Amino acid sequence: MKLFVRIFLCLLFGASAAQELNQNQNQFTHQKLDQTGVQEPTALLQQKQSFHEPLTWRFPDPLPEDEPRFPPEFELKTPTAASSISAICRDSTVRVEAKRDLLGIGTPVRAEDVTLGGCPVTVEEAEVLVFESELHGCGSQLMMTEDSFIYIFTLLYNPTPLGNSQILRTRDVSVNIECHYQRKHDVSSGVFQPTWAPFSDSKVSEENLYFSLRLMTDDWQFPRPSSQFMLGDMMKFEVSVKQFHHAPLRVTVDSCVATVVPNIDTVPRYVFMGNNGCLFDSQITGSSSRFLPRTQDDRLQFELEAFRFQQDNSGNIFITCSVRATAATAAVDGTNKACSFSNGWREASGSHDVCTCCDADCGGGSMSHLARTDVQWEQETSFGPITVAERPL
């Protein structure tokens, strides 16, 4: 057909027209081939990208955060002490009133969680919890200054977990309450001043003995102003007796027990001294606890290495000791001694042989209130709370 057209054109227009037609056909053929070479199949393009070009992709960059806008005049609230406890000191009793909102945060506390030296609430009123006690009751501690007798009570708040959970939204509270009484009363009428004292008054003065148990500074020169210690510190205690016009006396410590509340009949408890003056702590735990050599008959000093009770987070301990006074002329023996253990038992006065019974039974001696038998007086004396914290690593 093409040959026929070419012959027809040659006859009609001449050889030049046939040649031009042939060139146009060749040009059209080349254009078609070029177009076919450029537009390759899509699958082939994907195959080339997958095997010959690395795939790169990343998360888009986060949007820049706006600068925080704080209040122009923001101040932290300064906590204020809650005036929620008051006390009335009478001649022989004390009345302590604690508001139910004990911490001043608008949340009443449970009466069962508040005690006065281990004694429960006496009266529950609408807004107040009332405690009443004798001056010598509810774990009170008697301290003396030159002019005053001071009875110290401790109001304790130990919160229990909320509901069936194990969480607390309040903290433990320990508040000391002091009742001060003058030791001396001066009366002057300007008219009559007696120059004699009744025999009965003199006899009472001779018979009254006052024991004290207190913490001392490291040099033993002054009472320690703080009762806070770290684990491993040495707590230095001094026991003394005020004898006034009495014949010279020697003070000893029969037994001591540590508890987490001011009540020796609770658990956990640790009896670190007993058997009429045997300091067991160094023998049991390998500590450096010991009696110091005695320098005065009416004073006795001992060191106790600080400790905490297992599974008790408060770190508070109370020390209660049975102290006793006998005539200074009495012999140092198995029931009248001060022994501590360091490669064997050693006695504070140097009479080491009397300590041999510390590994057996020295006989007698128990925790009891003030008692007198002939030339012997005994009293239960307490100190606390002492706070022992863990050493930071």
Side-chain angles (χ1 to χ4, degrees):
M1 181 65 183
K2 295 179 180 180
L3 180 61
F4 176 76
V5 171
R6 187 176 292 110
I7 294 173
F8 177 76
L9 290 175
C10 289
L11 293 177
L12 183 60
F13 299 103
S16 59
Q19 185 177 2
E20 184 178 355
L21 175 61
N22 188 32
Q23 289 177 353
N24 291 337
Q25 288 180 347
N26 291 337
Q27 183 178 3
F28 175 78
T29 302
H30 289 302
Q31 289 179 354
K32 186 175 181 180
L33 289 174
D34 292 341
Q35 292 176 358
T36 303
V38 171
Q39 297 181 355
E40 296 180 351
T42 302
L44 182 60
L45 286 175
Q46 292 178 349
Q47 184 178 10
K48 287 183 178 181
Q49 183 179 6
S50 174
F51 287 97
H52 300 288
E53 297 179 5
L55 293 175
T56 57
W57 185 88
R58 65 180 181 180
F59 284 99
D61 293 334
L63 295 176
E65 295 184 0
D66 296 335
E67 290 292 330
R69 299 179 62 186
F70 297 110
E73 297 180 356
F74 176 79
E75 292 183 2
L76 287 174
K77 294 182 179 180
T78 302
T80 57
S83 300
S84 56
I85 301 173
S86 61
I88 301 175
C89 299
R90 303 189 178 101
D91 290 341
S92 60
T93 61
V94 63
R95 176 186 172 94
V96 179
E97 297 183 357
K99 294 181 180 179
R100 285 188 177 270
D101 184 14
L102 183 65
L103 304 180
I105 59 176
T107 302
V109 299
R110 294 180 34 165
E112 298 83 358
D113 295 342
V114 187
T115 60
L116 181 67
C119 296
V121 173
T122 305
V123 179
E124 293 188 42
E125 298 180 357
E127 300 294 333
V128 177
L129 303 176
V130 179
F131 300 85
E132 293 185 346
S133 170
E134 299 289 333
L135 290 179
H136 293 284
C138 293
S140 68
Q141 177 187 351
L142 175 61
M143 295 185 65
M144 291 183 298
T145 64
E146 185 176 352
D147 300 319
S148 301
F149 295 114
I150 305 173
Y151 290 88
I152 303 175
F153 295 84
T154 304
L155 185 76
L156 294 172
Y157 169 58
N158 293 312
T160 54
L162 300 172
N164 294 325
S165 69
Q166 296 296 319
I167 67 169
L168 298 173
R169 289 198 171 96
T170 54
R171 56 182 290 269
D172 293 348
V173 174
S174 176
V175 179
N176 285 344
I177 299 165
E178 298 184 358
C179 290
H180 293 243
Y181 299 88
Q182 292 184 358
R183 290 177 60 180
K184 302 176 182 179
H185 298 272
D186 295 330
V187 178
S188 176
S189 64
V191 177
F192 174 70
Q193 294 183 358
T195 58
W196 53 272
F199 173 79
S200 58
D201 291 345
S202 300
K203 189 64 177 174
V204 170
S205 176
E206 291 180 5
E207 294 298 322
N208 285 340
L209 299 179
Y210 297 97
F211 296 92
S212 70
L213 172 67
R214 57 183 182 173
L215 281 170
M216 302 296 289
T217 55
D218 289 344
D219 59 5
W220 296 97
Q221 296 300 310
F222 304 97
R224 195 176 195 270
S226 172
S227 58
Q228 297 183 352
F229 294 89
M230 305 289 288
L231 284 176
D233 290 345
M234 298 302 294
M235 302 183 293
K236 301 177 184 294
F237 291 94
E238 182 179 87
V239 180
S240 62
V241 58
K242 289 285 188 181
Q243 57 192 41
F244 300 104
H245 303 291
H246 206 285
L249 297 172
R250 180 189 296 120
V251 65
T252 55
V253 185
D254 281 337
S255 56
C256 287
V257 60
T259 53
V260 295
V261 295
N263 186 346
I264 63 173
D265 296 322
T266 59
V267 291
R269 63 198 302 265
Y270 175 43
V271 180
F272 60 87
M273 189 186 306
N275 211 359
N276 287 96
C278 300
L279 182 56
F280 300 127
D281 184 67
S282 56
Q283 185 186 41
I284 295 174
T285 66
S287 69
S288 300
S289 302
R290 66 183 181 112
F291 281 108
L292 268 68
R294 188 190 289 272
T295 57
Q296 294 178 243
D297 284 330
D298 60 348
R299 297 178 186 274
L300 183 62
Q301 299 167 335
F302 66 91
E303 298 177 330
L304 179 65
E305 189 170 331
F307 62 90
R308 291 165 60 101
F309 283 99
Q310 186 179 17
Q311 298 179 347
D312 175 66
N313 295 324
S314 69
N316 290 339
I317 57 175
F318 292 81
I319 304 297
T320 304
C321 296
S322 177
V323 297
R324 182 161 49 89
T326 57
T329 56
V332 177
D333 55 22
T335 58
N336 181 24
K337 63 187 184 302
C339 299
S340 49
F341 187 86
S342 177
N343 295 323
W345 290 101
R346 312 291 291 175
E347 208 278 328
S349 300
S351 303
H352 308 310
D353 292 341
V354 302
C355 298
T356 55
C357 66
C358 284
D359 291 323
D361 182 9
C362 297
S366 62
M367 303 287 279
S368 63
H369 292 284
L370 185 62
R372 176 182 181 275
T373 58
D374 297 331
V375 291
Q376 175 175 302
W377 291 261
E378 183 177 357
Q379 179 179 327
E380 183 179 297
T381 306
S382 300
F383 189 94
I386 298 171
T387 303
V388 181
E390 296 179 350
R391 287 192 177 276
L393 298 177

